[in-house]
Amino acid sequence: NAGVTQTPKFQVLKTGQSMTLQCAQDMNHEYMSWYRQDPGMGLRLIHYSVGAGITDQGEVPNGYNVSRSTTEDFPLRLLSAAPSQTSVYFCASSPWGGANTEAFFGQGTRLTVV
Amino acid sequence: SQELEQSPQSLIVQEGKNLTINCTSSKTLYGLYWYKQKYGEGLIFLMMLQKGGEEKSHEKITAKLDEKKQQSSLHITASQPSHAGIYLCGADRGNNDMRFGAGTRLTVKP
């Protein structure tokens, strides 16, 4: 049982490049989300989705786009990478959003923008 | 300042000692979650608390949500090296928006 799978695990980008971080879950969860983790800041919510075709912004959405065409996949796109986007990115899923539910996290993608 | 403040930021204890980590919210909590993160890995769910005064235990870890639902504590009894990692509290703001504290880094010395 794979759970939440993120790819790649590591990535180095040059400023201005674009890329997509992949996230897939095999638990048929409705709710999926993306976080970034920076030292001293904890996890900050970037975007989330409560189901296929529905996405919404979190705390720090600028510079990132998402889409949810299927229940399983929730890719995060960086259109023009900036050094400020150097971070560790985590994807998470849960049966539904909000209270009363445990979230399952991927192993993270460590992104460096030079 | 962050919406969820954790204290201490880091903690070094001798194996076998007890310890407590606190999480204080600036807003009423609708649900409080505790996660553990091993270095370089994702988060693992520990416990979820919803009602003021609720207390849950799993093995040697106990978490409690205070009556006014603005503070939670995580207590580890007789710590072991396997308890080492980063402990994060998370809270639901009531609109599918989860917020997390900055984490407490725990080191357990054998």
Side-chain angles (χ1 to χ4, degrees), chain B residues 6-8 11 17-24 32-37 44-49 54-66 71-77 83 85-90 103-106:
Chain B
Q6 285 187 237
S7 61
L11 193 55
K17 295 294 185 183
N18 302 337
L19 64 105
T20 299
I21 298 168
N22 294 302
C23 175
T24 301
L32 190 287
Y33 306 79
W34 284 100
Y35 286 84
K36 178 185 176 184
Q37 183 180 24
I44 303 296
F45 174 81
L46 294 175
M47 274 171 278
M48 174 176 65
L49 305 166
E54 185 174 12
E55 182 173 316
K56 288 187 177 179
S57 294
H58 177 66
E59 297 179 343
K60 294 185 178 181
I61 301 176
T62 300
K64 184 174 182 180
L65 185 61
D66 83 351
Q71 187 173 41
S72 177
S73 59
L74 185 83
H75 184 78
I76 298 177
T77 303
H83 287 127
I86 301 171
Y87 290 82
L88 296 101
C89 64
T104 295
R105 185 178 294 267
L106 173 64

Side-chain angles (χ1 to χ4, degrees), chain A residues 31 35 37 40-45 48 50 57-59 90 96-108 110, chain B residues 2 30-31 33 35 37 39-46 48 50 86 88 92 94-103:
Chain A
Y31 183 87
Y35 295 87
Q37 185 177 34
M41 301 292 291
L43 286 163
R44 290 182 292 169
L45 182 65
Y48 65 92
V50 298
Q57 296 181 348
E59 185 183 1
F90 288 98
W96 53 85
N100 307 317
T101 181
E102 168 188 353
F104 296 80
F105 283 80
Q107 292 297 294
R110 188 173 294 273
Chain B
Q2 289 199 283
Y30 292 95
Y33 306 79
Y35 286 84
Q37 183 180 24
Y39 303 119
E41 298 183 12
L43 280 68
I44 303 296
F45 174 81
L46 294 175
M48 174 176 65
Q50 292 177 266
I86 301 171
L88 296 101
D92 172 30
N95 57 350
N96 294 313
D97 186 349
M98 282 285 293
R99 299 296 170 101
F100 285 86

Side-chain angles (χ1 to χ4, degrees), chain A residues 53-66:
Chain A
I54 306 169
T55 63
D56 209 342
Q57 296 181 348
E59 185 183 1
V60 289
N62 293 339
Y64 308 95
N65 281 350
V66 292

Side-chain angles (χ1 to χ4, degrees), chain A residues 1-4 24-30 71-72 93-95 104:
Chain A
N1 193 357
V4 179
Q25 53 93 5
D26 61 0
M27 297 171 283
N28 203 31
H29 286 170
E30 290 296 323
T71 298
E72 294 78 20
S93 76
S94 55
F104 296 80

